[in-house]
Amino acid sequence: MADLLLELFSEEIPARLQKKASDDLARLVSDALADAGLTGGKAEAFATPRRLTLTIADLPTETPDVSEERRGPRADAPDKAIEGFLRGVGLTRDQLEVRETPKGEFLFAVIEKKGVKTAEVLATALPEIIRTFPWPKAQRWGAGDLRWIRPLQSILCLLGGAVVDFTVGGIAAGDSTEGHRFMAPGRFAVTDFTDYRRKLLDAKVILDPARRMTLIADSCQTLASAAGLDWVRDEGLLAEVAGLCEWPVPMLGGFAPAFLAVPEEVLILKMKHDQKYFVLRDKATGKLAPKFIFTANIEPRDGGTLVTSGNERVLAARLADAQFFYETDKKTKLADLLPKLDDIVFHAKLGTVGDRARRMEALARHLADFIPGCDAEDAATAARLAKADLVTGMVGEIAEVQGLMGADYARHEGYSDAVADAIADQYSPKGPSDRCPTTPVSIAVALAEKLDTLVGFFAIGEKPTGSGDPYALRRAALGVIRLVLENGLRINLEKDVPDWPADLSGFFIDRLKVQQRDKGIRHDLIDAVVAKGSDDLVWITALTSALSDFVATDDGANLLAGYKRASNILAIEEKKDGCRYSDPVNTDLLAEESEKALAEALAVARTAAAEALETEDFAAAMTALAALRAPIDAFFDGVKVNADDANVRANRLALLGEIRHTMNHVADFSVIEG
Amino acid sequence: MAEASPDTILSFQEIIMRLQAYWARHGCVILQPYDLEMGAGTFHTATTLRALGPDAWNAAFVQPCRRPTDGRYGENPNRLQHYYQFQVILKPSPDNMQDLYLGSLAEIGLTADSHDLRFVEDDWESPTLGAWGLGWEVWCDGMEVSQYTYFQQMGGYDCKPVSGELTYGLERLAMFVQGVDNVYDLAYNDAGMSYGDVFLENERQQSAYNFEVASTEKLFADFKAAQDESAALIEAKLPIPAYEQCVKASHIFNLLDARGVISVTERQAYILRVRDMAKASCAAWIAKNGWEA
């Protein structure tokens, strides 16, 4: 048994790629070994900015000898057949054995394959794995042809303490590596993984990314509590920061409290996104504190004075920039920015952003009628101003704060909270789990923002395809669905939204099916309800929900079966007779008790269901239908539909037609599966 | 900064001279700036054209860069429409290029024992040059002080061997080294001249020209003229002058952009026109030298 240690040492690997790369390395090497019949013990992979490391314990030192047996032709087979077999196995006639089998005497070949040294397996497999490593984007360097994520500098490969002999891209595998670039320069040799990990630690490299993350998190907690603040933990940032250093040294820095006048979102983006800093909050108020934690990759000689002041100055410059934009932006009224929107093309066929803002204004004003408690003028004002922040300095710098800045500027100008909030909320909800606006003016503007996009792009034929949705129309439709459903808005899309393109309704129903599927509602039930012709999403989902509950009950499932039976018989007989049985039943021709009972039950159910639908008491509509289960069952049990008397037969078929008609009045049961 | 005491402070010009001396010691040809307006040092023929073909090439130079849209009339402490880049091109990229680079930072006082130096992923792409490479932005105490790129393609052609390119933003670097928060307060020399003394008025006038006065009619005509001239020069098998017309067109496009007369849709079309000129020049350059593409 021997342990494998492999390290691929390179120039700095992007933080976001390290985890996958170390996993890929473990998988590819393990697979290559398994292909050769080699299975080891525990495999562990690690990454730092400068190295991918893999260790596999307890590998056999060579692959097993393999003895393979193959049956050939009969012993008395023609020479030609035997020669063919000999060529195939690479043996001569005298090396074959003759064996007695139940089917007679046959020739057998025994092929002995000697085991191969594991080191040889690795020496063949590793160069190939390195050359074809699945980096998303690799590069060449110098005069060579090898590709790696950044220039590969050295390879350490030991099996049982001995160097595995291979060369790739002019780099020969050896037994040495380097420690921290600055704190422990120079190469050193290692004997095995334990020695490697210990010497790396001495050379200021913490090999395990999880360990680096824990160290950073612990230090951040300590620094924060010493400063009497709360550290804002952020897993994504933690992983990224751990991927940017081999020896993490978190330190506390600060910025001028005056910068806190700038909206918090901007400050956080500047710190977290641009500088990879952790932010801190006041324990009592929860507000952003004028402090930050950065993570150095060294223990500075001077204890950190220069590094801290450097980071503080860099951040101060960035925040000063933001503050400058903020103060400058506030000097211009949002309304005065609107003419500039006419200079920005939204889409060649849909005009400028200015055109869009005017459309949104009209649409929001119109939609206000459908939103309880919505002030139409507020909605129009917010929609008109919603896009103004796109031409402010701040949004020009940081696109992520669009909407938020417009809201902030609107508040400063003295607009109401309702208007300001609506500007902030216009892009919401941005996905299935994003917060959905609930206040009337916000709902109007958020709807107008999305409906203008959807109506516009469908009108010019820019619809999503299977592979592409460049204008994010699916997300916009989902946003509308959530806004309508979660706020219970009663809108008939096609009738109530101006310029509604005909094919947009189908798109909405498809999106609704996807959205409802996540809530466990079957698409065929939605089809059954949509067939009623409504595009009022609240109505559709309420009825679908009642229907879904109903078909899950015993009565519902049984009734559905009865419906299917009735409509199957009708389909056959109507085809035969070339007519459709939709005339009223002639009660005089009803002879059997069960058919009389069914006719009566249908009359009752029809009235009850219609009333229930009218009042949108969908559960009651289902109860009305449920009352049909017993009479329908009894009818099929006791009555022969295809009676000898033609009139009786026609009347019974009309009775089946009544079942179909009565149930279809609630939902189109013919499209329900099962 | 500890370095920022009066007797050790490095002036703007001293930083340039130290970088030049350092890279000269490491075998670079020290060039003077190209006499055309360009948006980045990468446009210099010492970078673009020399990155193509098999021949070794090591050069370092200061290149004035013009980015008309970044002008702020001299009122923003960090933004300039005219600034300097220090460019180093090493072909083929040497195995110890990172160490060489770190040595150059130590030369201007940014030593790794007291500063936190980092190579942070930053892939580079120039749509106008049809070029891309992988590399990093180099951080010193959280400040981006250089761009470091291994060129993979130029003008749409593979770079073989690969050139390593270093770009130091000199003003930003000097602000960091001198501990100054406003670019105009930089000590340009040791005799009391500030960066503002040298360039403030230039920024004011050029910003006005870029944003308000430049004749868009003339610029549109100039762009077309440069495009035609470049095509004619390609025909005449003169790739260097053809490429210079591409550099001119690129700057004219930047001016038109600053004047706000190029719509989003047109923007892409203009970038493609410049790229076509760059690609044609690179192709002609490769052909002229008899290299295999």
Side-chain angles (χ1 to χ4, degrees), chain B residues 97-143:
Chain B
M97 182 154 159
Q98 282 186 313
D99 291 337
L100 287 174
Y101 167 73
L102 292 167
S104 76
L105 290 187
E107 203 73 8
I108 53 174
L110 302 181
T111 51
D113 54 0
S114 302
H115 291 285
D116 183 30
L117 297 166
R118 240 50 106 69
F119 294 87
V120 180
E121 176 189 19
D122 189 31
D123 298 348
W124 173 81
E125 190 180 5
S126 169
T128 44
L129 288 175
W132 69 276
L134 298 188
W136 309 274
E137 44 183 54
V138 183
W139 286 16
C140 178
D141 302 340
M143 171 80 156

Side-chain angles (χ1 to χ4, degrees), chain A residues 11-12 14 16 137-143 145 149-151 153 181-182 244-245 274-276 295-298 300-301 306-307 309-311 313-314 317 321 324-325 345 397, chain B residues 1-2 76 79 92-93 95 98-99 102 112-121 123 132 134-136 139 141-143 150 152 158-162 175-176 179-181 263:
Chain A
E11 297 180 5
E12 277 75 356
R16 66 190 171 88
K137 203 183 200 180
Q139 65 153 90
R140 292 173 289 109
W141 60 93
D145 277 320
I149 184 65
R150 291 295 182 274
Q153 291 182 323
R181 184 193 280 285
F182 302 118
L244 283 169
C245 51
D274 293 357
Q275 295 296 132
K276 326 290 181 206
T295 308
N297 186 34
I298 54 162
R301 194 183 45 181
L306 273 177
V307 179
S309 74
N311 276 280
R313 283 184 42 230
V314 173
D321 223 27
F324 171 80
F325 283 121
V345 177
E397 273 293 294
Chain B
M1 306 280 94
N76 185 295
R79 290 200 197 213
S93 63
D95 287 345
Q98 282 186 313
D99 291 337
L102 292 167
D113 54 0
S114 302
H115 291 285
D116 183 30
L117 297 166
R118 240 50 106 69
F119 294 87
V120 180
E121 176 189 19
D123 298 348
W132 69 276
L134 298 188
W136 309 274
W139 286 16
D141 302 340
M143 171 80 156
Y150 292 102
Q152 301 297 298
D158 279 352
C159 297
K160 293 183 93 167
V162 168
M175 285 167 75
F176 191 83
V180 163
D181 294 329
S263 72

Side-chain angles (χ1 to χ4, degrees), chain B residues 127-190:
Chain B
T128 44
L129 288 175
W132 69 276
L134 298 188
W136 309 274
E137 44 183 54
V138 183
W139 286 16
C140 178
D141 302 340
M143 171 80 156
E144 182 194 337
V145 290
S146 305
Q147 290 277 333
Y148 184 133
T149 307
Y150 292 102
F151 285 154
Q152 301 297 298
Q153 277 202 330
M154 181 61 72
Y157 295 95
D158 279 352
C159 297
K160 293 183 93 167
V162 168
S163 298
E165 183 207 44
L166 300 170
T167 303
Y168 307 69
L170 285 171
E171 284 81 357
R172 216 202 288 210
L173 189 61
M175 285 167 75
F176 191 83
V177 170
Q178 293 186 11
V180 163
D181 294 329
N182 185 327
V183 65
Y184 297 107
D185 294 339
L186 279 174
Y188 201 99
N189 66 4
D190 294 332

Side-chain angles (χ1 to χ4, degrees), chain A residues 289-306:
Chain A
K291 299 277 178 194
F292 63 94
I293 294 174
F294 64 96
T295 308
N297 186 34
I298 54 162
E299 288 168 6
R301 194 183 45 181
D302 66 357
T305 317
L306 273 177

Side-chain angles (χ1 to χ4, degrees), chain B residues 57-68:
Chain B
W57 171 249
N58 297 299
F61 52 92
V62 172
Q63 181 58 47
C65 301
R66 295 202 187 209
R67 300 216 173 149

